[in-house]
Amino acid sequence: MELQNTVKEALNALYHHPDDTVRMQADRWLQDFQRTLDAWQVADNLLHDASSNLETLIFCSQTLRTKVQRDFEELPSEAFGPLRVSLNTLLKKFHKGPPKVRTQISIAVAALAVYVPAEDWGDSGIVNWLRDEMNSHPEYIPGFLELLTVLPEEVYNYKIAARPERRRQFEKELISQMEVALSILTACLSINELKEQVLEAFASWLRLKHGIPGSVLASHPLVLTALSSLNSEFLSEAAVNVISELIHYTAAGSASDVALQMPLIQIIVPQVMSLKAHLKDSSKDEEDVKAIARLFADMGDSYVELIATGSDESMLIVNALLEVASHPEYYIASMSFNFWHSLQVILTKRDSHLPFGDEASIEAERKRRQDAFIHSYESLVSLVSFRVQYPQDYLNLSHEDRREFKQTRYAVADVLIDAASVLGGDATLQILYKKLVEAVSCCGNGEKNEWRPAEAALFCIRAISNYVSIVEAEVMPQVMSLLPKLPQQPQLLQTVCLTIGAYSKWLDSASNGLSMLASLIDILMSGMGTSEESAAAAALAFKHICDDCRRKLCGYLDGLFHIYHRAVSGEGSFKVSAEDSLHLVEALSMVITELPPENAKRALEALCLPVVTPLQEAVSQGPEILNKKTARELTVHIDRFAYIFRYVKHPEAVADAIQRLWPIFKAIFDLRAWDIRTMESLCRACKYAVRTSGRFMGMTIGAMLEEIQGLYKQYHQPCFLYLSSEVIKIFGSDSSCATYLKNLIESLFLHTTSLLTNIQEFTTRPDIADDCFLLASRCIRYCPQLFMPSEVFPSLVDCSMIGITVQHREASNSILTFLSDIFDITNSSKGEQYIPIRNSVVIPRGASITRILIASLTGALPSSRLEMVTYTLLSLTRAYGALAVVWAKESVSLIPLTAVTEVELSRFLKALSDAASGFDINSLTLPIEEMSEVCRRNRTVQEIVQGALRPLELNLSPVSS
């Protein structure tokens, strides 16, 4: 009683106390209470207590539902009977409400049924028990109907902590009781006020893979009631849910299954088709129209294979889906978009037509089908293109509404791409060009918003750019000649710039492309000076133009440099942001790549000049001023160097540049090594210099590595490890660098392992852990001859064992990848020779590694990491065969049988034995996933398993090899 009163007081405080702190304390106490064993009895008592208020009833029904779902195994086996009786009594008590309470109790009963085998309910299962209860107590039928509705839904509810095997049995039990359930629902049809509830329950049962033949369902009273209720004012929503489930059901499975369902399809389709007129009926409620549109969309999605044949009957559905696409409300029209995409995939993929014999027959059938849908896709282009037009009040829209408008444009662009895939880009372009011409003709009539239709048409033309052939000579020259004549309104100019960029490949191949480029680059310069958005679009377009037309532009470098200098220096009227200026750096870098080496060297110097000058000034001002600068004042320039080194594909010229720049880079390394953002930026620039220059870097690479090796010991910046990874990738196999690289990796790894001595250090320094083990994996791949025999290898394996269970995703994945790379070393061409070294390190630690991996699998790491842990465990098993299975047996034998049964353990160990015997590991993941699920099924079990395996206690002292 005292605890019941405390619960009531806490609920009262939670809902009514004026002090936020008190409410938070009450909430925390109630959550903790729900996890206790006492919560069962207290929640049950308060639900039976006539004096409990609504807040108490809702909380206690939720508590009881959660306890059954998550903690049923806390109860002794003899508690099932009394619990079922109590829940049944409550179901009857609340059969007329409150609805929230009744629903929670229904879910609790359904969850109980998931745990308890059918025979324990008496008369072979819960559905028969429910039928008997309804026959004995007809006055409680509405409450029992809700239970009948939620029962099949709980099959797929993974909040219920049942074992996987029991969940599968429950699904089979329900499917075997399907006829009983449908007979109960059929009997309830005679009660008029229950029809909606009956149809909702029927829809719920249809979601089970029930296997009832279409010929049986076609004449079933429940199906006939649903079909006849589609026009009912009160039952249409429930009827639509039923028909929707039936549509999905008839389409599930193979083509032969669909043939079996044909009797049902033949009665559904005409009934749904009869609703087509409602799509344009303005007197219809919008929700009703939405429900009808959903049925057409479901038919389209489910029967797309049949529709793709292009038969007269299928074209009726296609025409109805065009009506859906034309609906003024976007959220209704967009229901059809998935169908148009699925149809396009079938029409354009060659393997869709393979059954038609030889190549000529396949091609003829593909063409016949595509021709059948040409008119439909042409109509679709016209129907959707207007939806991308900016609303007149766009500037006044909320941030959320603007985001929604952008998403609409992206979705329409995808539909246009689907249309272009079927019609061909050139044919689609012609339709859109007519819309552009109409829109441009309106531009001069003085209307305030005349730019919007032109912008919409251009947006659509840009969307299909990848599908328009680069030799198209009829429409594109006219589009390009129109662009300079359009008003320079900011949003329109932004789209004009993006369109120019999108057709850069076409401009490169067009016979008069060079003559067009001058006026188009003028437009891009206007874009850079108009608004931040148009400047971003212009910078991106400039990059695409320079990438694809680089050969044409080699002779015009002076003009390009003029634009580049204005954008990078920030002088003049350009509004190009620092981030967008990188597009211009990339653009000039790609043009310079086309120059002959001697010219490229001079051009690269000119490219670097406006970037190096501010850095030189910053360094020359002395250490004190350099240290006071914000990271961004330096990184804005260093990031440009990263782009230059990445995209100027002249290795000697870049090596030359980095050698000249090294004194400035060294000064920044020396004075700003404490600043992680500047170091990341500088290391990224050095990484690209190494990647592009390779062995031309000569002495500079030695100076660079010496620098980061010394600074790492002092400042522990993870990016120093990241830069070293790139060096290992490029120089790892170069025997002339062996001594230098061996010293580098030993120094870096010894220092890192001295930092990461416990799980708390891994948690505090996850970036160091991540980059350390990425570097270690690189060493295994690119210089195993330096890494495997070194003294740091066993230290790193010990270090990895400490850190496997770190919760940081990237760090944990890098550690697991490192371990699987060790186990999979035989996959590399020269890996065999390192097996003795590997074994001497791994075998003494094998039992502990296995146990930590099994602990990670069963709860020490989040379930999102399951795939990576599974792969690592299977790699270990594949590498060490029967020995690994012995290690696994030792580990799982520690887990009490109250948490995992003998059967579940043996299934898990069999999967490992199969992996040890050489089975394909992809086929073995399911038993391992089920072991993970069993051990995580609720908090109590997870704590028992982790308490038994104790992964963190296994790696406190290094193992001597």
Side-chain angles (χ1 to χ4, degrees):
M1 280 302 295
E2 188 182 334
L3 199 47
Q4 286 173 207
N5 290 332
T6 311
V7 168
K8 286 181 179 179
E9 286 164 15
L11 284 166
N12 191 51
L14 176 66
Y15 288 106
H16 305 293
H17 202 285
D19 188 336
D20 283 351
T21 310
V22 174
R23 288 205 301 274
M24 282 175 64
Q25 285 172 344
D27 187 38
R28 203 172 300 118
W29 186 88
L30 287 165
Q31 285 183 35
D32 290 341
F33 161 75
Q34 284 182 312
R35 296 190 188 106
T36 65
L37 200 57
D38 289 326
W40 288 100
Q41 193 64 59
V42 171
D44 188 63
N45 289 350
L46 288 171
L47 283 166
H48 286 282
D49 186 344
S51 68
S52 293
N53 63 14
L54 181 60
E55 288 159 0
T56 304
L57 293 174
I58 290 172
F59 172 77
C60 289
S61 61
Q62 287 172 340
T63 301
L64 209 50
R65 181 259 300 159
T66 304
K67 294 300 281 182
V68 177
Q69 286 180 332
R70 306 298 303 164
D71 301 323
F72 177 66
E73 290 180 355
E74 286 181 344
L75 299 176
S77 56
E78 61 270 17
F80 161 64
L83 178 60
R84 185 181 71 173
V85 169
S86 178
L87 288 170
N88 189 16
T89 306
L90 291 170
L91 206 55
K92 292 171 181 172
K93 177 182 175 182
F94 295 112
H95 80 284
K96 287 189 175 175
K100 280 185 179 177
V101 176
R102 185 178 66 237
T103 299
Q104 297 301 310
I105 293 165
S106 296
I107 295 171
V109 178
L112 193 60
V114 178
Y115 281 105
V116 180
E119 54 270 19
D120 290 2
W121 285 84
D123 196 17
S124 69
I126 187 171
V127 180
N128 285 307
W129 171 85
L130 192 52
R131 179 195 57 197
D132 295 342
E133 286 290 318
M134 289 168 92
N135 286 336
S136 307
H137 306 283
E139 68 275 23
Y140 299 129
I141 283 176
F144 286 127
L145 263 181
E146 178 150 16
L147 172 55
L148 196 60
T149 306
V150 299
L151 257 180
E153 292 167 3
E154 296 309 289
V155 169
Y156 310 111
N157 182 357
Y158 286 86
K159 287 179 183 174
I160 299 172
R163 298 164 188 270
E165 186 56 42
R166 175 58 208 146
R167 194 186 298 282
R168 283 193 290 269
Q169 282 174 356
F170 178 64
E171 184 176 5
K172 287 176 187 167
E173 286 165 15
L174 285 197
I175 290 170
S176 70
Q177 295 170 26
M178 181 90 178
E179 284 185 29
V180 180
L182 296 195
S183 69
I184 295 171
L185 292 174
T186 306
C188 291
L189 278 177
S190 59
I191 309 168
N192 217 31
E193 58 271 24
L194 294 182
K195 269 190 181 175
E196 183 177 13
Q197 211 180 341
V198 167
L199 290 174
E200 289 294 0
F202 182 38
S204 181
W205 278 85
L206 286 171
R207 289 180 196 115
L208 287 177
K209 304 177 193 77
H210 46 79
I212 301 174
S215 54
V216 173
L217 283 172
S219 57
H220 199 287
L222 288 164
V223 173
L224 299 176
T225 302
L227 289 168
S228 64
S229 302
L230 282 171
N231 283 307
S232 160
E233 188 179 343
F234 304 109
L235 300 177
S236 62
E237 188 181 344
V240 164
N241 288 338
V242 170
I243 304 306
S244 175
E245 290 302 332
L246 286 169
I247 290 168
H248 293 311
Y249 172 62
T250 55
S254 63
S256 58
D257 293 334
V258 173
L260 285 173
Q261 301 303 333
M262 207 44 88
L264 183 54
I265 295 172
Q266 284 167 342
I267 70 155
I268 291 173
V269 173
Q271 286 282 358
V272 176
M273 290 304 298
S274 69
L275 303 172
K276 183 183 165 188
H278 296 330
L279 289 169
K280 290 195 168 179
D281 186 346
S282 55
S283 67
K284 274 278 176 191
D285 179 76
E286 203 168 274
E287 284 302 307
D288 290 340
V289 177
K290 180 183 170 186
I292 293 163
R294 175 186 151 202
L295 285 181
F296 281 113
D298 282 343
M299 282 204 310
D301 292 340
S302 299
Y303 304 145
V304 65
E305 296 273 355
L306 295 170
I307 292 168
T309 60
S311 66
D312 292 344
E313 296 88 343
S314 67
M315 296 315 289
L316 294 173
I317 299 177
V318 172
N319 291 334
L321 284 159
L322 282 170
E323 298 250 355
V324 173
S326 70
H327 195 276
E329 284 295 339
Y330 171 76
Y331 77 95
I332 290 176
S334 62
M335 288 180 177
S336 70
F337 288 2
N338 189 60
F339 162 75
W340 300 112
H341 173 70
S342 302
L343 180 61
Q344 172 268 122
V345 168
I346 293 170
L347 294 175
T348 55
K349 277 199 174 172
R350 183 181 176 279
D351 58 7
S352 301
H353 312 291
L354 286 180
F356 294 94
D358 60 42
E359 202 65 46
S361 304
I362 290 171
E363 188 51 39
E365 176 61 17
R366 190 169 69 82
K367 187 171 186 320
R368 182 195 72 75
R369 290 187 175 198
Q370 284 191 4
D371 288 350
F373 292 98
I374 282 176
H375 180 67
S376 304
Y377 275 99
E378 286 173 344
S379 301
L380 183 66
V381 171
S382 297
L383 287 173
V384 299
S385 54
F386 81 93
R387 294 186 189 277
V388 303
Q389 189 167 314
Y390 272 93
Q392 294 199 5
D393 61 344
Y394 178 76
L395 294 176
N396 300 323
L397 293 181
S398 67
H399 175 72
E400 188 58 38
D401 286 342
R402 286 191 186 194
R403 197 164 66 89
E404 207 170 284
F405 173 63
K406 280 186 178 177
Q407 286 172 340
T408 298
R409 280 164 70 99
Y410 295 145
V412 170
D414 288 341
V415 176
L416 292 170
I417 287 169
D418 289 327
S421 301
V422 176
L423 300 173
D426 297 5
T428 312
L429 177 66
Q430 289 194 327
I431 300 169
L432 296 170
Y433 176 63
K434 285 175 189 166
K435 293 190 176 295
L436 178 63
V437 171
E438 286 169 23
V440 171
S441 69
C442 299
C443 274
N445 64 10
E447 286 181 26
K448 185 182 175 187
N449 300 312
E450 72 277 355
W451 61 272
R452 295 170 204 278
E455 191 281 333
L458 270 182
F459 176 89
C460 295
I461 288 171
R462 174 191 156 217
I464 62 160
S465 59
N466 288 340
Y467 296 82
V468 175
S469 63
I470 57 172
V471 295
E472 201 285 332
E474 189 182 334
V475 175
M476 278 314 301
Q478 297 179 69
V479 172
M480 290 298 175
S481 65
L482 276 176
L483 298 184
K485 299 170 188 170
L486 293 173
Q488 295 203 342
Q489 191 278 339
Q491 280 119 326
L492 174 56
L493 185 56
Q494 181 184 0
T495 302
V496 168
C497 291
L498 290 171
T499 305
I500 292 169
Y503 283 92
S504 54
K505 285 185 172 61
W506 180 86
L507 281 164
D508 183 48
S509 66
S511 55
N512 57 343
L514 189 57
S515 60
M516 289 186 213
L517 277 173
S519 64
L520 296 177
I521 288 175
D522 284 344
I523 295 174
L524 298 185
M525 289 177 71
S526 296
M528 289 182 204
T530 299
S531 71
E532 286 180 15
E533 289 79 11
S534 65
L540 182 63
F542 191 78
K543 180 188 83 171
H544 288 310
I545 292 280
C546 288
D547 184 8
D548 290 319
C549 307
R550 56 176 83 179
R551 287 191 181 86
K552 282 187 168 69
L553 293 170
C554 281
Y556 300 88
L557 265 177
D558 289 346
L560 298 179
F561 267 117
H562 173 66
I563 299 169
Y564 165 75
H565 276 273
R566 281 182 66 185
V568 169
S569 66
E571 296 165 10
S573 59
F574 279 5
K575 293 180 167 62
V576 181
S577 70
E579 284 73 22
D580 292 321
S581 73
L582 294 172
H583 291 314
L584 284 94
V585 178
E586 186 179 340
L588 268 291
S589 300
M590 290 187 292
V591 176
I592 290 171
T593 296
E594 285 302 308
L595 298 174
E598 197 47 50
N599 294 359
K601 201 169 180 183
R602 287 197 301 274
L604 179 57
E605 287 172 18
L607 190 64
C608 290
L609 189 62
V611 185
V612 74
T613 305
L615 285 177
Q616 264 174 331
E617 286 173 8
V619 169
S620 65
Q621 287 170 331
E624 196 176 335
I625 293 175
L626 185 66
N627 262 324
K628 285 180 180 172
K629 287 188 179 291
T630 63
R632 185 165 172 77
E633 287 176 87
L634 300 172
T635 59
V636 71
H637 308 296
I638 299 169
D639 287 346
R640 287 169 182 160
F641 274 124
Y643 270 62
I644 291 169
F645 298 153
R646 182 178 183 180
Y647 292 106
V648 174
K649 300 296 185 187
H650 280 283
E652 287 188 72
V654 170
D656 217 37
I658 190 78
Q659 189 177 353
R660 288 197 313 277
L661 291 164
W662 178 245
I664 295 170
F665 280 22
K666 184 179 187 309
I668 298 170
F669 268 125
D670 287 341
L671 294 169
R672 297 282 296 207
W674 52 269
D675 169 17
I676 187 165
R677 284 186 58 205
T678 302
M679 288 302 101
E680 283 178 346
S681 179
L682 197 52
C683 284
R684 189 161 49 246
C686 290
K687 175 188 86 170
Y688 286 120
V690 171
R691 189 177 287 181
T692 298
S693 304
R695 294 182 178 141
F696 288 106
M697 276 191 78
M699 298 300 293
T700 319
I701 190 75
M704 189 186 291
L705 295 179
E706 200 172 312
E707 186 74 14
I708 61 171
Q709 194 173 320
L711 291 173
Y712 180 65
K713 290 178 182 172
Q714 195 175 348
Y715 294 101
H716 315 143
Q717 298 288 16
C719 53
F720 296 155
L721 297 169
Y722 165 76
L723 175 54
S724 302
S725 285
E726 193 63 32
V727 173
I728 292 294
K729 185 177 175 183
I730 304 293
F731 295 97
S733 59
D734 188 338
S735 57
S736 66
C737 303
T739 306
Y740 206 95
L741 292 181
K742 187 171 187 295
N743 292 338
L744 172 76
I745 61 178
E746 286 188 353
S747 167
L748 294 175
F749 286 139
L750 282 171
H751 192 68
T752 306
T753 52
S754 71
L755 293 175
L756 302 174
T757 55
N758 55 53
I759 194 69
Q760 288 76 21
E761 288 291 347
F762 274 87
T763 304
T764 308
R765 308 171 188 265
D767 294 338
I768 286 185
D770 181 20
D771 286 318
C772 165
F773 287 99
L774 283 173
L775 174 59
S777 281
R778 281 267 168 98
C779 289
I780 293 171
R781 288 190 197 110
Y782 294 102
C783 57
Q785 75 283 2
L786 304 180
F787 177 64
M788 298 294 287
S790 74
E791 64 183 65
V792 295
F793 176 48
S795 305
L796 265 176
V797 174
D798 284 330
C799 188
S800 73
M801 290 165 65
I802 297 167
I804 290 174
T805 55
V806 68
Q807 297 302 295
H808 187 274
R809 186 182 62 195
E810 282 80 11
S812 172
N813 280 348
S814 295
I815 294 166
L816 291 165
T817 301
F818 164 68
L819 286 170
S820 59
D821 285 345
I822 294 170
F823 307 144
D824 291 341
I825 200 162
T826 52
N827 292 352
S828 63
S829 56
K830 296 178 181 174
E832 297 281 343
Q833 62 187 302
Y834 303 110
I835 288 177
I837 298 173
R838 180 195 72 179
N839 290 352
S840 70
V841 173
V842 173
I843 290 174
R845 298 163 174 79
S848 293
I849 293 173
T850 306
R851 190 160 139 194
I852 297 167
L853 288 172
I854 291 173
S856 302
L857 190 78
T858 55
L861 282 176
S863 53
S864 57
R865 230 62 57 76
L866 187 60
E867 189 178 342
M868 193 72 223
V869 177
T870 301
Y871 180 81
T872 309
L873 181 61
L874 288 172
S875 294
L876 172 71
T877 311
R878 199 166 44 183
Y880 290 99
L883 183 56
V885 178
V886 170
W887 294 334
K889 277 181 182 168
E890 287 172 9
S891 297
V892 298
S893 68
L894 301 169
I895 302 172
L897 293 177
T898 51
V900 185
T901 65
E902 291 276 13
V903 173
E904 288 158 345
L905 288 177
S906 64
R907 194 178 289 134
F908 170 70
L909 290 170
K910 183 181 185 304
L912 295 186
S913 296
D914 288 346
S917 305
F919 280 61
D920 174 24
I921 60 175
N922 293 324
S923 64
L924 305 173
T925 54
L926 186 61
I928 293 170
E929 285 170 11
E930 291 201 348
M931 175 73 166
S932 175
E933 189 187 330
V934 164
C935 293
R936 297 171 190 263
R937 63 188 186 274
N938 61 36
R939 183 181 299 209
T940 307
V941 171
Q942 195 163 324
E943 285 171 358
I944 291 169
V945 173
Q946 294 303 307
L949 294 174
R950 300 190 308 284
L952 292 176
E953 292 175 28
L954 299 178
N955 43 44
L956 295 178
S957 56
V959 178
S960 57
S961 298

